[in-house]
Amino acid sequence: MSGGLLVAGTTSDAGKSVVTAGICRWLVRQGVKVAPFKAQNMSLNSFVTREGAEIGRAQAMQAQAARIEPTALMNPVLLKPGSDRSSQVVLMGRPVGEMSARGYHGGRQEALLSTVVDCLEQLRGTYDAVICEGAGSPAEINLRRTDIVNMGIARAARFPVVVVGDIDRGGVFASFFGTTALLDAEDQSLIAGYLVNKFRGDVSLLEPGLEMLRGITGRQTYGVLPFAHGLGIDEEDGMGVSLRGTVRESVVAPPYGDDVLRVAVCAVPLMSNFTDVDALAAEPGVVVRFVDRAEELADADLVIVPGTRGTVNALAWLRERGLADALVRRAAEDRPVLGICGGFQILGEHIEDDVESRAGHIDGLGLLPVRIRFDREKTLARPVGEALGAPVEGYEIHHGVADVRGGEAFISDDRGRSLDGCRVGAMWGTHWHGSLESDEFRRRFLTEVARAAGRRFVPAPDTCFAALREEQLDRLGDLIEEHADTDALLRLIESGAPSGLPFIAPGAPGARA
């Protein structure tokens, strides 16, 4: 087998990431050597590869679904929003500067097409199949000229396209038709068909609509995927997370001990790598919620101040909402708080930022004896160490450099020398993302939290986060295998879009059949 496929969507959050991961897992179980690819990703949830490159977490998750090590080739362009109008541009895993949306779409994006095509070709030379994920919708007609992630890359690679639609939102037939009808003839020739996502109910009731859709578009539907609760895979951003809900529909299992443990995560602006708390939500008896009001911290056994792309702005937000004062009260009462990356910086004494916010000297909350200086060079690393007597590993993505001036070491090397972070009583801070995925460390940390909170909570002794993630990826593969036309998908990947697909009027503005 050789070839590829682009998974596009009628909208953002239609299910492109999970479908791409599911196809990767299904293919690798068939013995196909497969890799994921997303030319351009906009996300505050990122990951660090073994070679020290920053890519979107969704692509790292898809690489795990394909049972391969993620690399920068799989996500050559990553945009990390710093405001509504500007983003940090990460190219081949390294930041290359800040750029406004107008500046990016005004020329820089188009210039990157050769880079992303080269990355895709390198993957095609190594793997039997490459499953690409699009971004947003391919029918953004105002952006089509500079598109490098949807029809731009599909046309460059001559890849067939399957469009995913979220039927749970409603209007899926109109979305499929309208997406196709707003593309020009050459782009439409690559739209092979559709995939319905998040369907609830009796599929037989949907089938007449699918036949009508085929009649008016000349394109088949490659599957109807049922609504699946609690998939728990890494998302591109935090927009899908309810501040009042648990973590992505996760089901809280009964506690192993007598008590549950309540975790409140401060939903700071530009929250990054909120996936850090997924391992906590996977623990039986741990209830995780995102909060944005001071009173919501009152009954929390542990408060987490997570990472953020805007540390100084997040600090101001905490102060404006009274959350900062609530954190100070918790520290005085020796009640558990964990700061991760930007959250760790916020808990410190001073922040010197001439890079991210350019605000200069800012007083932190003063809860940890740490002073932060922002460096123009970003730290990107995959460190390993020991904490609370257990092995721990994580990944670092930050401009802030910590000068720790007291407290206890939080994460150390095998000789007891401090590697990162610090601890004062029940107040912890670290730059390491992903540390809570280390099972024994997580259990010991939660035991300390429960003791400080006065809870009779006992961590389950057998929770393995890596195994749970593998189970979720297998569930995605099962969805494709059981509910998609896999024979037809294989033909698409091997042979491309069917010939003779009809043009659907009106096409893109000015287009002709």
Side-chain angles (χ1 to χ4, degrees):
M1 168 186 282
S2 63
L5 176 72
L6 174 70
V7 178
T10 55
T11 62
S12 294
D13 203 33
K16 298 182 292 293
S17 295
V18 296
V19 168
T20 299
I23 292 174
C24 285
R25 177 50 60 100
W26 161 66
L27 283 173
V28 77
R29 294 195 307 207
Q30 310 308 307
V32 178
K33 190 178 179 183
V34 59
F37 178 78
K38 186 164 185 174
Q40 171 195 298
N41 199 350
M42 178 171 281
S43 178
L44 288 172
N45 275 346
S46 58
F47 185 74
V48 179
T49 66
R50 292 289 180 193
E51 70 269 26
E54 185 179 8
I55 66 171
R57 268 198 75 104
Q59 280 60 66
M61 175 271 297
Q62 290 160 358
Q64 185 175 352
R67 296 178 179 153
I68 57 176
E69 192 68 31
T71 73
L73 292 175
M74 298 171 188
N75 180 207
V77 181
L78 173 64
L79 305 178
K80 303 192 71 174
S83 70
D84 291 340
R85 296 188 177 185
S86 68
S87 296
Q88 182 181 65
V89 180
V90 180
L91 180 62
M92 295 303 295
R94 306 297 303 185
V96 295
E98 296 279 335
M99 186 168 290
S100 69
R102 179 176 293 276
Y104 184 68
H105 289 286
R108 180 64 184 268
Q109 185 181 36
E110 195 172 12
L112 293 173
L113 181 60
S114 62
T115 298
V116 301
V117 169
D118 179 65
C119 290
L120 178 56
E121 289 306 308
Q122 288 186 60
L123 291 174
R124 294 181 74 179
T126 305
Y127 295 92
D128 300 329
V130 179
I131 307 303
C132 304
E133 179 188 345
S137 163
E140 304 291 355
I141 55 178
N142 56 316
L143 303 177
R144 176 61 186 91
R145 181 182 61 82
T146 57
D147 169 48
I148 63 172
V149 65
N150 289 304
M151 301 313 299
I153 194 67
R155 190 185 290 194
R158 302 307 302 170
F159 273 3
V161 180
V162 171
V163 181
V164 178
D166 179 358
I167 197 170
D168 198 50
R169 296 183 176 188
V172 74
F173 294 116
S175 297
F176 283 146
F177 180 86
T179 297
T180 308
L182 280 176
L183 302 176
D184 67 23
E186 187 173 352
D187 285 349
Q188 285 193 26
S189 71
L190 297 174
I191 302 293
Y194 314 107
L195 190 67
V196 176
N197 192 30
K198 298 184 181 179
F199 179 73
R200 306 173 192 251
D202 186 346
V203 175
S204 66
L205 299 176
L206 188 66
E207 287 172 352
L210 300 180
E211 283 301 313
M212 286 184 266
L213 180 67
R214 183 163 190 166
I216 60 175
T217 67
R219 292 159 172 85
Q220 75 175 86
T221 298
Y222 286 86
V224 178
L225 306 184
F227 193 101
H229 288 278
L231 288 175
I233 56 89
D234 300 346
E235 297 184 13
E236 289 187 350
D237 54 49
M239 297 305 292
V241 178
S242 167
L243 299 185
R244 303 289 179 265
T246 53
V247 180
R248 291 200 300 283
E249 302 174 338
S250 60
V251 177
V252 179
Y256 187 78
D258 294 329
D259 276 349
V260 298
L261 207 63
R262 297 169 178 83
V263 179
V265 185
C266 297
V268 296
L270 298 175
M271 180 169 49
S272 62
N273 289 74
F274 67 87
T275 48
D276 284 334
V277 303
D278 283 0
L280 295 181
E283 283 284 350
V286 175
V287 182
V288 179
R289 66 184 189 272
F290 290 85
V291 304
D292 60 356
R293 296 195 299 254
E295 55 268 31
E296 293 178 292
L297 303 189
D299 67 343
D301 302 308
L302 169 66
V303 173
I304 293 179
V305 187
T308 171
R309 174 77 168 85
T311 300
V312 170
N313 289 338
L315 176 57
W317 181 87
L318 290 168
R319 284 177 166 143
E320 288 167 3
R321 289 178 170 260
L323 287 158
D325 289 338
L327 290 170
V328 171
R329 288 194 296 272
R330 286 187 71 90
E333 297 165 0
D334 207 28
R335 300 177 64 198
V337 175
L338 171 64
I340 302 175
C341 199
F344 170 40
Q345 297 166 5
I346 285 168
L347 297 180
E349 298 171 348
H350 304 294
I351 299 171
E352 194 69 35
D353 181 11
D354 294 319
V355 176
E356 192 175 77
S357 68
R358 297 181 175 85
H361 178 87
I362 299 292
D363 287 335
L365 297 186
L367 305 182
L368 288 175
V370 179
R371 297 185 179 185
I372 301 294
R373 176 186 55 82
F374 274 67
D375 193 3
R376 295 195 179 278
E377 187 71 20
K378 181 185 283 190
T379 297
L380 297 169
R382 289 276 294 273
V384 296
E386 183 178 286
L388 304 180
V392 61
E393 58 183 279
Y395 55 100
E396 294 184 76
I397 307 170
H398 55 91
H399 285 279
V401 178
D403 177 13
V404 179
R405 301 191 172 196
E408 303 174 44
F410 188 16
I411 301 177
S412 306
D413 64 15
D414 55 5
R415 296 182 181 180
R417 295 174 299 191
S418 179
L419 290 177
D420 180 77
C422 71
R423 173 185 181 179
V424 174
M427 190 79 43
W428 293 271
T430 177
H431 270 131
W432 290 20
H433 295 290
S435 62
L436 293 168
E437 296 178 18
S438 299
D439 295 327
E440 184 56 34
F441 163 68
R442 181 180 65 254
R443 284 190 277 271
R444 296 190 185 192
F445 176 71
L446 290 176
T447 298
E448 294 243 357
V449 167
R451 184 183 300 118
R455 294 285 184 188
R456 292 179 298 172
F457 168 85
V458 179
D462 56 355
T463 301
C464 175
F465 186 71
L468 291 172
R469 176 169 283 172
E470 276 297 303
E471 289 175 12
Q472 301 295 57
L473 293 173
D474 275 332
R475 287 183 64 197
L476 295 181
D478 292 343
L479 286 175
I480 298 299
E481 187 169 347
E482 296 169 9
H483 300 282
D485 187 341
T486 53
D487 289 339
L489 286 176
L490 281 174
R491 287 194 296 272
L492 277 184
I493 294 168
E494 289 182 320
S495 305
S499 59
L501 292 169
F503 174 79
I504 309 300
R512 294 290 184 269

